[in-house]
């Protein structure tokens, strides 16, 4: 059975308040739609842990920069509803931009420090847009649990920090990155890749595997790992634009010189018109 589609904020909020009054545990998977196995795996992760599962589908205009892909971001609500039915989930919350950002909207949520490196400098205002909309969605859907993918590691860690700092009584669950059979991290944006670009896009994962191999063999100099990853990508991709390949600590996302403790290796590479990101978490 297809999930119930709710498009009004007032209706969603009232529904969630009723569920809460009945003692139900609410799970939320916030998405921008055009769902793939990565989103569905997040829903399946929450499914046994909640009574009611909500997926939100909202292409959030304020997290896109002026030259980014807001207008061409892929959308297919009917297909998304059918995929949600497979999990299953009870409700798809799909508000309009006017519902979320009425005239006179003036409030934003901003997490400092963790947003300063990695994607931060390349996407000014992006994380502010994400934390603001997720804060709003949390107040509307009132979830006990919410899941985000490790593929967007910086986003997940920023949201974890927001919830902690603002004392939101919500557990953030980070689900593992789902990959295509050849290793490319699943993303709604992969549909932008031309056939040859799609083949070369596996270079990001190959670079991460190379980093893992070097670290497992005892390499502890971040610089060496980044140099080897850069070389691999330059070799495998015709004209890559490497935005960053960084090694950062997991707590503050500050660059590391020496690989110790819990850290993240993350990279963003543009192949043609498509910006791809990927990462791996490590502990040594
Ligand atoms: O990861 C996404 O799809 C979006 O950034 C999110 C978390 C749904 C906020 O718009």
């Amino acid at each position: 059975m297809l999930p119930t589609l709710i498009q009004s904020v007032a209706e969603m909020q009232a529904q969630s308040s009723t569920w809460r009054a009945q003692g139900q545990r609410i799970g939320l998977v916030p998405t921008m739609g055009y769902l793939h196995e990565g989103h569905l795996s997040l829903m399946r992760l929450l499914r046994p842990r909640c009574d009611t599962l909500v997926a939100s589908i909202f292409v959030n205009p304020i997290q896109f920069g002026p030259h980014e892909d807001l207008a061409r971001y892929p959308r297919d609500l009917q297909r998304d509803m059918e995929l949600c039915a497979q999990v299953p989930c009870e409700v798809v919350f799909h508000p309009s931009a006017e519902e979320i950002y009425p005239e006179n909207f003036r409030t934003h949520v901003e997490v400092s420090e963790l947003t300063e490196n990695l994607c931060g400098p390349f996407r000014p205002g992006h994380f502010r847009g994400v934390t603001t909309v997720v804060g709003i969605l949390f107040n509307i859907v009132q979830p006990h649990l919410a899941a985000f993918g490790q593929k967007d590691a910086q986003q997940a860690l920023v949201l974890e920090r927001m919830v902690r700092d603002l004392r939101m009584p919500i557990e953030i669950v980070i689900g593992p990155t789902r990959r295509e059979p050849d290793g490319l991290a699943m993303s709604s944006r992969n549909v932008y890749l031309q056939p040859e670009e799609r083949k070369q896009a596996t270079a990001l994962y190959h670079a991460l595997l190379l980093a893992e191999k070097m670290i497992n063999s005892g390499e502890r100099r971040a610089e060496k790992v980044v140099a080897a990853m850069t070389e691999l990508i330059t070799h495998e991709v015709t004209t890559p634009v490497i935005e960053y390949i960084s090694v950062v600590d997991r707590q503050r996302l500050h660059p590391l010189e020496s690989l110790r403790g819990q850290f993240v290796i993350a990279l963003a590479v543009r192949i043609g018109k498509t910006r791809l990101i990927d990462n791996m978490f490590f502990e040594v």
Side-chain angles (χ1 to χ4, degrees):
M1 207 172 69
L2 285 185
T4 304
L5 179 66
I6 298 185
Q7 293 182 288
S8 124
V9 166
E11 194 185 326
M12 185 71 246
Q13 215 159 20
Q15 178 60 262
S16 287
S17 298
T18 306
W19 287 330
R20 281 208 164 232
Q22 293 166 342
Q24 298 203 32
R25 272 175 77 72
I26 305 171
L28 171 66
V29 179
T31 80
M32 299 207 299
Y34 214 70
L35 304 179
H36 51 67
E37 186 51 37
H39 300 111
L40 300 181
S41 70
L42 295 176
M43 294 183 205
R44 286 193 211 103
L45 203 56
L46 294 195
R47 186 66 276 183
R49 299 191 57 197
C50 59
D51 303 303
T52 310
L53 183 58
V54 177
S56 65
I57 297 181
F58 178 62
V59 182
N60 175 33
I62 70 163
Q63 71 184 71
F64 288 79
H67 305 295
E68 292 184 357
D69 55 345
L70 173 62
R72 67 178 181 131
Y73 197 85
R75 292 161 169 92
D76 190 342
L77 182 61
Q78 187 54 37
R79 178 175 161 274
D80 288 348
M81 294 284 285
E82 283 158 20
L83 289 170
C84 286
Q86 288 173 17
V87 174
C89 81
E90 279 76 17
V91 166
V92 166
F93 177 50
H94 177 56
S96 67
E98 294 72 32
E99 274 286 290
I100 297 295
Y101 302 115
E103 243 180 62
N104 291 325
F105 182 91
R106 292 292 178 272
T107 308
H108 292 86
V109 180
E110 195 157 356
V111 173
S112 56
E113 192 177 49
L114 280 80
T115 55
E116 279 158 22
N117 293 314
L118 307 179
C119 290
F122 295 95
R123 305 192 68 190
H126 168 71
F127 289 111
R128 181 181 191 253
V130 170
T131 41
T132 300
V133 81
V134 172
I136 296 169
L137 291 169
F138 283 176
N139 282 330
I140 298 169
V141 180
Q142 307 166 55
H144 297 81
L145 298 155
F148 298 89
Q150 192 203 307
K151 148 84 178 10
D152 299 305
Q154 188 174 19
Q155 164 174 283
L157 297 174
V158 164
L159 290 168
E160 217 176 54
R161 169 60 56 194
M162 172 184 86
V163 160
R164 225 176 286 162
D165 288 352
L166 297 181
R167 273 67 162 188
M168 295 174 164
I170 299 169
E171 184 190 336
I172 300 292
V173 177
I174 302 182
T177 302
R178 298 302 304 255
R179 299 183 179 280
E180 301 293 349
D182 65 1
L184 175 66
M186 289 187 183
S187 163
S188 308
R189 291 188 164 102
N190 290 348
V191 295
Y192 299 152
L193 293 163
Q194 300 299 317
E196 187 52 30
E197 295 170 349
R198 170 63 190 82
K199 279 188 212 148
Q200 298 185 358
T202 52
L204 278 78
Y205 184 55
H206 295 161
L208 287 166
L209 289 178
L210 174 62
E212 182 177 54
K213 197 165 140 207
M214 290 174 79
I215 292 163
N216 288 343
S217 329
E219 181 60 66
R220 291 295 175 264
R221 292 163 298 181
E223 193 192 336
K224 291 282 176 197
V225 173
V226 170
M229 292 173 75
T230 308
E231 196 187 315
L232 182 145
I233 288 175
T234 319
H235 184 72
E236 289 192 9
V237 182
T238 315
T239 43
V241 177
I242 299 177
E243 285 191 354
Y244 65 82
I245 300 177
S246 301
V247 185
V248 295
D249 75 274
R250 193 190 188 285
Q251 295 309 315
R252 303 193 307 159
L253 303 185
H254 277 204
L256 289 182
E257 280 177 18
S258 155
L259 308 181
R260 305 243 174 281
Q262 293 186 321
F263 58 91
V264 185
I265 301 189
L267 68 169
V269 180
R270 278 194 280 127
I271 301 185
K273 288 194 172 80
T274 311
R275 183 178 187 274
L276 299 172
I277 57 172
D278 203 347
N279 69 85
M280 261 187 206
F281 285 11
F282 292 89
E283 182 158 14
V284 296

